[in-house]
Amino acid sequence: MRLLAVQRIIGAVVALSGVFMLPPLVLSWLLGDGLEACFGESMAIAVVAGLALWLPVRRARTELRLRDGFIVTTLTWVLVSLTCAVPFMLGPTHLSFTDAYFESASGLTTTGATVIVGLDALPRSLLFYRQSLCFLGGMGIVILAIAILPMLRVGGSQLFRAETTGPVKDTKLTPRIAETARALWLVYVGLNAICALAFWVGGMDLLDAVGHAMAAVATGGFSPYDASIGHFDSAVLESICIVFMFLGGVNFALHYVAWHRASATHYFGDPELKAYFALSVALSVVVAFGIYGAGVFPTLGESLRHGTFHVVSNITTTGFTSTGFFTWPGFAPMLLILIGFIGGCSGSTSGGLKIVRVVILFRQGAREMLQLVHPKGRFVVKLGHTSVPGQVLAAVTGFCTLYVFSYVVMALLLAAVGVDLVTAWSAVAACINNMGPALGVAGPHFRDLNDAAIWICSFAMILGRLEVFTVLILFTPAFWRE
């Protein structure tokens, strides 16, 4: 373990997290809402803590190994969530350390679950800061650091591998990892700008447009209103949100190629994107007819409007709501929670298992059934026109097994600390899938859960955001053996 190099990188990223407080500080000064001191003190705490870690080892230049990438990535998310929690403790929300950490981790992991009630009455600079956490976490803190800090190019491939999502993590869009990270961030910022412009034209004020764009493209789901997108009661804004949530759930490598080649033709040949689109459409129709039949809305048009919005919001694990779906009768609320396990595409900002893994898993199951019918036959699992290698099939199976096992264990732990069963299973599903809304007590917010449950949910959010292996590998004895 290259401990000095690990400490150097973590210190630099923690100090960098202090810069996250600068935009809301400037906004607070412009709006005169009195939170300049809150953000100034929070920034100072982050910078001082980061420099205290970085300065003693600033000359450490040891090359990182893959195992170092895992520990740097995990500690970065844990510690940056800690520093970004400070404004929620010092500001008018006056959250406890436990609740502030949950809120910070929820934003950075793009989960969108909240413990805050009465968002509409809070200062806009704090609400903007809260949404900016989704923006920063959407593409990933570690990838951000690789993109803008030349010192982190050392071992950048190890960090990139530990941070990115999907069953295959070694594909580079450009020859250098730092260039790849910058390319992805360029596409990400461009989508945010287009989304903000669309929201603004659609009727939001400029600050709401920018904030909701940051939460939509990042599939983060934080809104400055308790009613979320339902605050606006606008079919136009909901439609814009659907489009950009969906785009946030698409592999950003596809967006990069579209921008680089000035062509959208490659979108139509991607098998994962095809499955993502088909599944979103099919589930939207099922949910719409389900809530129409249950009499939730008087017309089929309204049912399609809200059904489609919540399906896209949940399959992309964004967590925006246009109405309180957790109060709907029938099967729809349960289905909406379950589709969060599917998630968006690999290499996107969404959580969940990812579409490509689900497709591979189902095709592998179909192959096994064919093998039972034709024992002497030879069948392969294909994705598009490409055969899936055996090691990828094994990795996908192992990942899904460990993912579901982690979910079950944490749901049982939540039940063990006094949470009712409906809330326990749905709250952990919402957190490990980075989806946000749950059922039961945690339907409108997580404020009423006890501290033990909040810490379990905070761990679930980081575990899901780093795709299980990156975190759990640190708890294996083999990881620490040389």
Side-chain angles (χ1 to χ4, degrees):
M1 188 69 63
R2 277 70 168 172
L3 292 179
L4 296 183
V6 168
Q7 181 181 335
R8 167 177 157 266
I9 293 174
I10 290 173
V13 177
V14 169
L16 174 67
S17 69
V19 181
F20 300 169
M21 287 79 165
L22 186 58
L25 189 155
V26 173
L27 181 63
S28 177
W29 176 72
L30 291 173
L31 297 176
D33 61 15
L35 291 188
E36 298 93 332
C38 167
F39 290 116
E41 291 170 13
S42 301
M43 182 187 300
I45 290 170
V47 172
V48 169
L51 290 178
L53 289 170
W54 179 77
L55 284 172
V57 294
R58 63 188 181 279
R59 300 187 188 280
R61 299 284 172 178
T62 310
E63 179 72 21
L64 292 183
R65 296 177 298 177
L66 178 59
R67 65 170 63 190
D68 301 317
F70 291 132
I71 194 166
V72 167
T73 302
T74 302
L75 285 179
T76 294
W77 281 87
V78 170
L79 294 177
V80 172
S81 295
L82 178 62
T83 57
C84 289
V86 177
F88 296 117
M89 292 186 282
L90 299 182
T93 48
H94 298 300
L95 296 182
S96 66
F97 171 66
T98 297
D99 287 345
Y101 191 90
F102 177 91
E103 197 74 17
S104 173
S106 181
L108 289 169
T109 59
T110 70
T111 301
T114 185
V115 292
I116 301 174
V117 178
L119 290 167
D120 305 61
L122 292 175
R124 298 200 74 178
S125 61
L126 184 65
L127 296 172
F128 179 84
Y129 168 71
R130 185 170 168 269
Q131 289 180 300
S132 72
L133 295 180
C134 296
F135 171 79
L136 294 164
M139 190 53 66
I141 301 166
V142 176
I143 293 181
L144 172 64
I146 295 170
I148 67 175
L149 290 181
M151 61 183 289
L152 294 184
R153 291 180 185 176
V154 178
S157 59
Q158 284 76 16
L159 301 184
F160 193 83
R161 181 185 172 91
E163 169 73 11
T164 48
T165 61
V168 181
K169 301 188 178 189
D170 293 322
T171 303
K172 300 177 184 178
L173 302 178
T174 62
R176 298 171 67 92
I177 287 294
E179 291 177 11
T180 300
R182 281 194 289 269
L184 290 174
W185 265 92
L186 180 63
V187 173
Y188 181 61
V189 171
L191 274 177
N192 271 270
I194 297 169
C195 182
L197 179 61
F199 276 139
W200 184 53
V201 172
M204 288 187 185
D205 66 44
L206 184 59
L207 198 56
D208 272 344
V210 173
H212 283 91
M214 291 192 294
V217 177
T219 63
F222 270 164
S223 174
Y225 305 103
D226 287 328
S228 189
I229 296 294
H231 168 84
F232 301 97
D233 192 22
S234 168
V236 172
L237 292 176
E238 289 165 19
S239 300
I240 293 169
C241 197
I242 287 171
V243 169
F244 285 94
M245 288 190 297
F246 186 87
L247 290 175
V250 174
N251 191 325
F252 271 72
L254 296 179
H255 294 322
Y256 171 80
V257 174
W259 167 77
H260 188 66
R261 298 180 181 174
S263 170
T265 54
H266 65 287
Y267 283 118
F268 303 105
D270 185 74
E272 185 180 23
L273 181 54
K274 289 179 181 177
Y276 173 47
F277 178 78
L279 196 57
S280 298
V281 171
L283 288 169
S284 296
V285 172
V286 169
V287 170
F289 276 96
I291 58 179
Y292 178 65
V296 178
F297 298 102
T299 65
L300 183 57
E302 278 191 89
S303 300
L304 282 169
R305 168 187 164 185
H306 293 289
T308 302
F309 182 89
H310 284 92
V311 165
V312 175
S313 180
N314 283 30
I315 200 170
T316 61
T317 69
T318 304
F320 277 139
T321 58
S322 63
T323 182
F325 79 87
F326 48 87
T327 64
W328 292 348
F331 68 87
M334 184 179 291
L335 179 59
L336 289 171
I337 293 294
L338 290 175
I339 65 177
F341 280 97
I342 300 172
C345 300
S346 60
S348 70
T349 59
S350 63
L353 292 168
K354 304 296 185 296
I355 294 286
V356 66
R357 288 196 182 100
V358 174
V359 170
I360 289 173
L361 205 61
F362 271 92
R363 290 184 180 175
Q364 186 177 3
R367 184 188 70 170
E368 293 303 317
M369 288 192 289
L370 281 172
Q371 199 75 60
L372 288 172
V373 176
H374 305 286
K376 295 183 180 180
R378 295 185 63 185
F379 305 99
V380 295
V381 175
K382 286 191 173 183
L383 196 63
H385 300 292
T386 306
S387 297
V388 181
Q391 62 267 31
V392 173
L393 291 176
V396 168
T397 303
F399 173 84
C400 294
T401 301
L402 194 57
Y403 193 95
V404 173
F405 178 77
S406 300
Y407 162 70
V408 171
V409 169
M410 286 185 289
L412 290 173
L413 286 174
L414 232 63
V417 298
V419 178
D420 69 90
L421 292 180
V422 171
T423 302
W425 79 262
S426 63
V428 174
C431 290
I432 196 172
N433 294 323
N434 303 135
M435 184 175 62
L439 304 178
V441 174
H445 52 74
F446 283 61
R447 180 180 176 178
D448 296 327
L449 298 186
N450 59 53
D451 284 359
I454 290 293
W455 280 114
I456 293 168
C457 289
S458 297
F459 177 76
M461 290 189 287
I462 294 175
L463 185 70
R465 178 62 179 84
L466 296 181
E467 297 220 311
V468 181
F469 283 134
T470 303
V471 178
L472 294 188
I473 198 172
L474 303 182
F475 295 94
T476 62
F479 176 82
W480 299 100
R481 294 194 203 107
E482 288 296 334

